Amino acid sequence: MTDQPLVPDTKAAPSRLRRALDSDLFYAFRRSPVAMISSAVAVGLILMAVFAPFFAVTNPFDPASLNLMNGFTPPMEPNAFTGETFFMGTDDQGRDVYSTILYGMRISLFVGFSAVLFAVVLGIILGLLAGYYGGWADSFIMRAADVQLTFPAILVAMLIFGIAKGITPVEHRDQMAIWVLILAIGLSDWVQFARVVRGATLVEKNKDYVSAARLIGRGSSLIMIRHILPNILSPVLVIATISLALAIIAEATLSFLGVGAPPTQPSLGTLIRVGQGYLFSGEWWILFFPACTLLALALSVNLLGDWLRDALNPRLK
Amino acid sequence: MTEPVLSIRDLTVEIPTRQGLFKPVRNVTYDIRPGEIRGVVGESGAGKSMTGNAVIGLLDAPAKVASGEIWLKGRRIDNLNAEEKRAIRGKEIGMIFQDPLTSLNPLFTIGEQLVETIQLHLKVSASEARDRALALLERVSIPDPVTRFNQYPHQFSGGMRQRVVIALALCSEPSVIVADEPTTALDVSIQAQVLDLIKELASETQVGVILVTHDMGVIADTTEQVTVMYAGQVVESGSTDQVLSAPTHAYTKSLIAAVPRPQVKLHRFPQVSYGNRETTFKIEDLARNWEQTAPSKSGKLLQVQGVTKKFIEKPAILPSRRRYFTAVDNVSFDIKDGEVFGLVGESGSGKSTVARMIGTLLPTDGGAIQFDGDDITTMEPKALAEYRKQIQMIFQDPFSSLNPRMKVESIVAEPLIHHKLLPPDQISARVRELLDRVGLTREAAAKYPHEFSGGQRQRISIARALATQPRFLICDEPTSALDVSIQAQILNILKDLQEHLGLTMLFISHDLPVVRQMCDRVGVMKQGKLVELQETEALFANPQQEYTAELLDLMPRLAQLSG
């Protein structure tokens, strides 16, 4: 076919990293102190949670490392019996609060990320179908979404949690608790993604590049995934970031109410629930440090999401 | 000569960007006298709107006037503070924007908007303001102003809305009006009326008008003085007659030469040579590798027979309760092998709907479309895939017809991959070859669409359309979103395709001079019906229908250029 030797591209395309560092988004990032500080806090906390065994002093899940005599040690004070000192004190069972927070954050983050991922995937699929096909599919999906929106998300999550717990056998309950949490929070959160995706799809599907793909003969699912989806992802990413903060809080709320992570695998919410019992008897640190960690985590992720929304909106520049 | 009402002296506008200081307007100087219409013409990005915005003090931050002066009736206005500028804006300087749809508030009636504006600028009572508003509506030739006074903008047509916008601009009896592309969003027939109105008002009320446009026809018809801008600078300025008949600057010359003439048929569209790096379209290379297909059985490649399309206006569950709007009504025409068939009409006449039905993007509601003897409306999926390989489409808006998240390589490769025309390892080479043939570099393959200009994007569209070696090309207003200079290049490419590759084309446009140059036969559509179908020359020389004659009459002409 080619009647002349093909000249190879001499000028290689700039590397992905180079392009990312050169992008307008990174430029906006470097000029926003809020974005830099909150991302530093968020990334720092996430890294500490992921590599908890390296940062933690003890493993709070290992009963062998616990000493009940260490119980209720105030922060930075030597224990009256053992003489050991704990940076953030210990809880009722003598667990190091600092280490427990790291391991608890692991569970909180895992549940938060997984729940948001689940909600995003579900929301994108249903939103794309509703927006692209319209008609009956649209009415059905969006009415279901409307109905769900009339209940508070936490109530929906509790309902799903309750049903799921009822149908799992007793011996698996503690193991399944985390997965049930993810399912419950994810299912209570898909609606906002579906709405945004549907709206963006309605705009994109009438653009000529979609017509061009249809003219070529591309099938509906391929057009939705390859053509429309990449063009509607940025608002989804923004909501996902803000949702992450909300999902972490939702998990904490459920655990605080006692329907979330079991005390044997405590998340931040479980720690706060345990800690609040001791708040007025003087052992404030058991509640205070987990609560501060939750605040820092949720706030930094939320601020990052807010900043991302503004930075990606050209109208606010 | 009377004193100028507005003087712009050495105006420079700066925008600080990451890449450094960008000056969209550099040392621009011109005057407007009372009752005079000054055209400001140039391609997009030439700085003509930016100058207008600087005059009305509506530069968007971070853009700012860096140097130069603006004088309004002997008073310097460029260095006023925001509050003083606001007092002048609307009061002393009226504005008419491009899109009448967005420049009126949809939640208030026309009357409320007029009265509010009048009361804001002139200290008059409510009833007096109402009388004035009615008089203004009458002045801009809105029929039955008393009824119209209480209606909302959506109850007005585009042309009527633009009249209301003009009335709003006139409310405060301004001394200058800045009209930024006031007719670009309107149909030709309405464009002429609105321009006539502006002309009339200027001479009657002695208001000075800055008319920003990219259309040389509008300049020739409407203005007395013209300023030609290129890349932020004024390249030529003077009386319209003089500039059009004896342009001195090379850019003006090529701009005038590039305007399609309705009177004569030329073989090629003259190009704007100034400042454009000539990009070559290698039609011979393309033709050498083109596999010629056998001519169609009947000599008529496409036969459209009594095609109808209805859109649901009022949905209902019971079919009997639904109401329909007939967008295309029993349209029939044939396109012969190797012919360029033109379809013209105002917006909403159904011409694009016909194109989309031929492209299988919309189902038909009756009638048949036969491609080489086979009816595509009843085709099996397998035959339909074969049909889709043989047709391609070039869309109007080069900014929405390419997926912004896909690299050019994937965009052009998509038809090749879908129809499995080449083994995967040859696709990349083929794409680069196609890009090279349409006058883009091979490196273009690795870039994203936003890195290209409108004209280059349209070339990418053409490369994608040519990838399957189609027999039939649908061009839906392929150049109406482009500047005159680039329009000529794209039209020449399409002409080359038709001549050298024997491509059959359906060419849709509202631009009659372009249609005359491009097409062998032309169909005229009005409100969904095909009202006339003739050979191009015969249609232009001797239109059979009154409607066609009207359309031809409304073409902006460069009287100075005839012959």
Side-chain angles (χ1 to χ4, degrees):
Chain A
M1 192 77 231
T2 39
D3 51 7
Q4 55 191 80
L6 200 81
V7 188
D9 287 352
T10 43
K11 210 173 69 184
S15 75
R16 211 165 262 270
L17 180 71
R18 186 74 241 140
R19 272 216 317 272
L21 288 179
D22 202 39
S23 69
D24 287 344
L25 195 65
F26 187 70
Y27 177 74
F29 179 76
R30 275 202 326 231
R31 290 174 53 124
S32 162
V34 173
M36 287 206 287
I37 293 170
S38 54
S39 67
V41 172
V43 169
L45 286 174
I46 291 170
L47 283 180
M48 282 175 82
V50 171
F51 298 106
F54 295 99
F55 289 98
V57 187
T58 58
N59 182 355
F61 297 149
D62 176 14
S65 72
L66 299 179
N67 184 352
L68 269 180
M69 298 299 278
N70 277 334
F72 300 118
T73 314
M76 304 306 284
E77 274 177 44
N79 183 279
F81 305 103
T82 61
E84 285 181 67
T85 314
F86 298 93
F87 165 51
M88 288 183 185
T90 59
D91 67 1
D92 52 345
Q93 297 173 53
R95 289 188 292 203
D96 175 29
V97 171
Y98 167 69
S99 306
T100 326
I101 287 175
L102 291 189
Y103 280 89
M105 203 156 60
R106 247 186 170 182
I107 292 170
S108 289
L109 280 169
F110 177 72
V111 171
F113 272 112
S114 311
V116 169
L117 188 72
F118 180 57
V120 164
V121 171
L122 191 66
I124 284 180
I125 293 172
L126 292 175
L128 272 176
L129 291 175
Y132 191 77
Y133 288 110
W136 285 106
D138 185 24
S139 304
F140 185 75
I141 293 170
M142 292 331 282
R143 285 310 79 76
D146 289 342
V147 168
Q148 184 172 334
L149 272 188
T150 58
F151 299 102
I154 202 81
L155 208 64
V156 176
M158 282 181 77
L159 181 75
I160 298 166
F161 192 87
I163 295 172
K165 210 168 178 179
I167 54 177
T168 42
V170 183
E171 60 270 26
H172 295 302
R173 252 183 214 169
D174 274 8
Q175 275 172 294
M176 294 293 290
I178 300 293
W179 298 103
V180 172
L181 257 182
I182 292 169
L183 181 80
I185 297 173
L187 275 181
S188 70
D189 206 27
W190 67 273
V191 173
Q192 49 174 334
F193 293 103
R195 285 194 159 185
V196 168
V197 168
R198 171 183 175 267
T201 305
L202 284 178
V203 174
E204 295 296 323
K205 79 166 178 183
N206 288 321
K207 289 198 176 161
D208 283 341
Y209 70 85
V210 174
S211 300
R214 287 177 56 206
L215 192 85
I216 290 168
R218 288 296 206 185
S220 300
S221 50
L222 210 76
I223 289 176
M224 278 189 263
I225 294 166
R226 260 179 69 79
H227 287 275
I228 298 179
L229 185 59
N231 283 296
I232 58 176
L233 267 188
S234 40
V236 171
L237 284 180
V238 171
I239 312 177
T241 319
I242 296 171
S243 275
L244 177 61
L246 292 176
I248 291 170
I249 293 172
E251 184 278 326
T253 312
L254 287 175
S255 297
F256 180 81
L257 293 173
V259 291
T264 48
Q265 273 180 296
S267 71
L268 284 178
T270 321
L271 293 180
I272 293 170
R273 173 165 61 97
V274 172
Q276 61 111 15
Y278 302 102
L279 180 61
F280 295 107
S281 55
E283 289 87 14
W284 53 271
W285 58 89
I286 304 176
L287 171 72
F288 182 75
F289 292 112
C292 284
T293 312
L294 179 66
L295 180 78
L297 187 64
L299 188 66
S300 60
V301 172
N302 212 340
L303 285 175
L304 208 57
D306 268 352
W307 167 81
L308 196 64
R309 179 178 57 198
D310 293 351
L312 289 177
N313 186 349
R315 279 201 221 160
L316 287 177
K317 271 185 189 156
Chain B
M1 220 175 205
T2 47
E3 271 299 291
V5 56
L6 182 85
S7 297
I8 300 172
R9 291 274 164 273
D10 262 345
L11 184 76
T12 299
V13 175
E14 286 179 355
I15 302 177
T17 65
R18 279 178 70 191
Q19 284 78 28
L21 214 53
F22 170 60
K23 294 183 179 175
V25 176
R26 279 179 292 168
N27 303 86
V28 168
T29 297
Y30 57 79
D31 290 336
I32 294 103
R33 279 165 230 290
E36 179 184 83
I37 301 180
R38 172 170 293 271
V40 180
V41 70
E43 55 192 30
S44 42
K48 36 192 210 306
S49 293
M50 197 65 94
T51 315
N53 287 348
V55 168
I56 54 184
L58 276 184
L59 283 179
D60 289 326
K64 63 176 198 314
V65 174
S67 65
E69 295 164 7
I70 304 170
W71 293 81
L72 178 75
K73 294 202 289 191
R75 180 176 173 211
R76 192 168 165 194
I77 59 166
D78 59 283
N79 53 3
L80 299 178
N81 64 32
E83 189 53 31
E84 289 168 319
K85 270 188 189 156
R86 195 183 63 81
I88 287 180
R89 182 162 64 229
K91 170 100 180 77
E92 292 287 333
I93 306 176
M95 292 157 280
I96 304 170
F97 295 109
Q98 176 171 350
D99 188 357
L101 202 76
T102 53
S103 45
L104 292 172
N105 188 331
L107 293 180
F108 292 97
T109 63
I110 297 301
E112 284 165 351
Q113 301 189 40
L114 279 167
V115 167
E116 189 197 351
T117 316
I118 291 171
Q119 285 197 304
L120 186 69
H121 293 299
L122 309 171
K123 299 278 164 281
V124 293
S125 69
S127 66
E128 211 174 317
R130 188 188 143 86
D131 291 344
R132 265 176 180 273
L134 286 173
L136 272 172
L137 287 179
E138 187 132 22
R139 186 68 211 76
V140 295
S141 312
I142 287 188
D144 194 10
V146 183
T147 320
R148 290 302 213 167
F149 189 82
N150 291 319
Q151 289 183 342
Y152 289 90
H154 71 261
Q155 292 165 300
F156 285 63
S157 68
M160 281 295 164
R161 264 189 225 134
Q162 200 61 304
R163 282 165 194 272
V164 173
V165 174
I166 294 173
L168 272 171
L170 288 172
C171 268
S172 54
E173 295 161 0
S175 29
V176 178
I177 288 181
V178 179
D180 194 348
E181 305 262 6
T183 55
T184 309
L186 304 175
D187 274 325
V188 188
S189 51
I190 297 152
Q191 165 175 324
Q193 296 167 10
V194 171
L195 288 174
D196 279 347
L197 177 68
I198 294 179
K199 234 155 91 176
E200 235 177 86
L201 292 170
S203 70
E204 224 170 89
T205 59
Q206 286 299 297
V207 61
V209 180
I210 302 178
L211 184 71
V212 175
T213 179
H214 66 272
D215 188 338
M216 274 310 226
V218 170
I219 293 287
D221 274 354
T222 321
T223 65
E224 288 126 43
Q225 300 281 319
V226 65
T227 297
V228 184
M229 289 185 70
Y230 181 80
Q233 283 174 306
V234 173
V235 295
E236 190 159 1
S237 206
S239 84
T240 306
D241 288 345
Q242 189 201 328
V243 169
L244 288 187
S245 55
T248 54
H249 195 275
Y251 175 67
T252 321
K253 278 181 196 163
S254 58
L255 196 61
I256 292 171
V259 177
R261 314 293 160 81
Q263 295 89 352
V264 276
K265 183 144 182 162
L266 302 167
H267 182 61
R268 308 272 301 174
F269 289 90
Q271 307 210 350
V272 178
S273 43
Y274 184 78
N276 279 315
R277 270 168 295 125
E278 187 74 21
T279 35
T280 44
F281 180 65
K282 298 168 188 162
I283 186 68
E284 284 79 15
D285 290 348
L286 198 59
R288 207 179 315 139
N289 294 323
W290 197 269
E291 288 160 31
Q292 288 292 342
T293 41
S296 60
K297 291 163 220 148
S298 57
K300 289 170 182 165
L301 187 60
L302 189 88
Q303 290 168 286
V304 177
Q305 292 158 343
V307 159
T308 299
K309 178 76 202 170
K310 291 175 184 161
F311 290 111
I312 293 180
E313 209 170 29
K314 189 178 159 231
I317 294 171
L318 290 176
S320 58
R321 305 269 310 258
R322 288 181 197 149
R323 265 196 275 132
Y324 295 94
F325 162 72
T326 308
V328 175
D329 190 2
N330 199 9
V331 167
S332 304
F333 57 85
D334 300 333
I335 303 180
K336 294 180 204 136
D337 280 349
E339 183 183 48
V340 180
F341 184 85
L343 213 48
V344 300
E346 297 178 44
S347 48
S349 60
K351 49 193 197 308
S352 286
T353 311
V354 171
R356 297 180 86 82
M357 285 192 289
I358 295 173
T360 65
L361 296 175
L362 277 177
T364 54
D365 289 328
I369 298 173
Q370 294 193 340
F371 185 81
D372 201 357
D374 302 317
D375 187 357
I376 63 161
T377 56
T378 55
M379 254 183 202
E380 299 292 314
K382 211 172 165 193
L384 207 56
E386 189 57 34
Y387 166 66
R388 285 195 175 116
K389 211 190 305 181
Q390 303 187 36
I391 60 156
Q392 276 300 325
M393 192 157 171
I394 294 168
F395 297 90
Q396 172 174 7
D397 181 3
F399 292 90
S400 83
S401 61
L402 305 175
N403 188 339
R405 298 289 166 132
M406 276 166 81
K407 283 187 182 169
V408 170
E409 170 156 22
S410 325
I411 292 173
V412 178
E414 192 163 25
L416 294 171
I417 294 168
H418 180 76
H419 294 299
K420 300 189 179 64
L421 292 176
L422 280 178
D425 54 317
Q426 290 179 26
I427 284 177
S428 174
R430 181 62 184 282
V431 166
R432 280 170 170 74
E433 190 191 312
L434 276 166
L435 289 173
D436 182 53
R437 303 281 195 260
V438 297
L440 294 165
T441 57
R442 285 161 192 265
E443 284 80 53
K447 295 184 182 169
Y448 286 91
H450 70 88
E451 297 173 64
F452 297 92
S453 69
Q456 287 173 320
R457 282 156 168 258
Q458 213 58 315
R459 285 168 188 264
I460 297 171
S461 277
I462 292 174
R464 171 175 62 188
L466 295 180
T468 57
Q469 306 209 345
R471 290 164 80 185
F472 183 63
L473 199 57
I474 305 166
C475 307
D476 190 358
E477 308 244 14
T479 58
S480 58
L482 302 176
D483 277 328
V484 176
S485 49
I486 294 148
Q487 172 175 325
Q489 293 176 9
I490 299 296
L491 291 174
N492 281 336
I493 291 179
L494 294 176
K495 267 194 121 115
D496 280 344
L497 292 178
Q498 192 266 328
E499 275 170 29
H500 292 263
L501 306 179
L503 273 184
T504 311
M505 275 189 224
L506 172 64
F507 188 89
I508 292 173
S509 181
H510 65 270
D511 190 340
L512 291 167
V514 167
V515 167
R516 173 152 203 184
Q517 306 299 331
M518 286 296 300
C519 304
D520 301 313
R521 283 190 307 146
V522 179
V524 181
M525 287 191 71
K526 184 194 183 188
Q527 290 169 5
K529 290 195 173 70
L530 192 70
V531 291
E532 183 161 1
L533 201 169
Q534 279 210 60
E535 301 278 321
T536 309
E537 289 306 311
L539 183 97
F540 277 77
N542 189 15
Q544 296 299 306
Q545 297 285 326
E546 205 177 313
Y547 178 71
T548 315
E550 265 171 46
L551 271 186
L552 293 178
D553 232 29
L554 291 164
M555 275 194 295
R557 272 163 224 272
L558 292 174
Q560 290 87 343
L561 298 169
S562 52

